[in-house]
Amino acid sequence: MKKLTLLRHAKSGWDDPVERDFDRPLNKKGKRAAAVMGSFIKRNRLTFDQILASPAVRVIETLENVEDASNLAMEPTWDRKIYLASSATLLDVLRGARPDAEHVLMVGHNPGLEDLIFDLVPDDGTSPARDEVETKYPTATLAEMTLAIDNWADITEKCATLDRFTRPRDLDPELGPNYD
């Protein structure tokens, strides 16, 4: 069994005058939400053997804020393929994860992350958390899954269970529902 945690980048600032979407930084609430999620990671003693992340500025800043709050050293493998990737591309990236990595954290963007959950977790009515994802996968939200595989190269659709879906507003009511 392998563990996969997905983290959608925190809320970015649309008011910043950047030329490319790739360069958009986090806004104030996004930084706060990322820190809240970092504290959650620390409280729940989550650790990751490998971190695969988009190199977009908002992902970099999300991980910096998570790292500060969790006291974990975040040493991601930056992969441009994750930036605005489809579920199929994200599956390919995961197939290339280190074979010895038992728990992988992937940090990226929607709609790819949301679609990846839909592809990995069967829609059989047994996962209330999956139903929450169908409603919305807000920024800075963690989705934790267990995969019925022994090797990342073997990842396929419908091989996962969604164990926990944690939104910033679940941890800090001031970050919801107008947050995202």
Side-chain angles (χ1 to χ4, degrees):
M1 301 291 246
K2 298 285 188 183
K3 296 285 287 181
L4 173 63
T5 298
L6 303 178
L7 174 61
R8 185 175 172 202
H9 69 78
K11 190 151 183 69
S12 56
W14 286 92
D15 296 335
D16 272 301
V18 294
E19 290 186 26
R20 302 181 314 159
D21 174 73
F22 187 86
D23 297 323
R24 263 190 303 114
L26 296 184
N27 66 18
K28 186 177 174 181
K29 276 193 166 181
K31 290 175 184 176
R32 179 174 166 189
V36 164
M37 298 314 287
S39 295
F40 173 82
I41 287 168
K42 182 179 181 177
R43 275 193 317 278
N44 288 277
R45 296 186 174 104
L46 298 179
T47 58
F48 310 104
D49 302 310
Q50 185 174 16
I51 301 171
L52 303 170
S54 161
V57 170
R58 58 193 178 271
V59 172
I60 293 169
E61 291 183 358
T62 296
L63 280 172
E64 289 171 350
N65 284 276
V66 167
E67 180 177 42
D68 289 347
S70 68
N71 293 324
L72 289 177
M74 298 284 172
E75 298 175 6
T77 300
W78 303 108
D79 191 332
R80 180 73 184 224
K81 291 181 291 226
I82 297 172
Y83 176 67
L84 302 182
S86 67
S87 175
T89 299
L90 296 175
L91 280 168
D92 285 341
V93 170
L94 286 167
R95 287 184 185 110
R98 287 193 341 250
D100 66 327
E102 293 300 318
H103 192 172
V104 169
L105 171 64
M106 178 176 272
V107 189
H109 312 266
N110 248 6
L113 291 180
E114 180 176 311
D115 291 342
L116 181 61
I117 293 170
F118 297 147
D119 288 344
L120 290 175
V121 179
D123 185 14
D124 58 9
T126 62
S127 175
R130 189 183 190 284
D131 296 340
E132 289 291 322
V133 177
E134 285 189 26
T135 301
K136 188 171 189 178
Y137 190 158
T139 53
T141 295
L142 281 172
E144 301 171 62
M145 292 174 274
T146 301
L147 286 64
I149 58 170
D150 293 321
N151 301 298
W152 290 105
D154 299 332
I155 194 170
T156 61
E157 293 186 4
K158 311 304 181 215
C159 73
T161 57
L162 183 56
D163 303 322
R164 185 164 45 182
F165 186 67
T166 310
R167 302 167 293 206
R169 72 176 181 198
D170 299 332
L171 306 171
D172 180 347
E174 290 183 20
L175 292 173
N178 295 327
Y179 162 68
D180 195 348

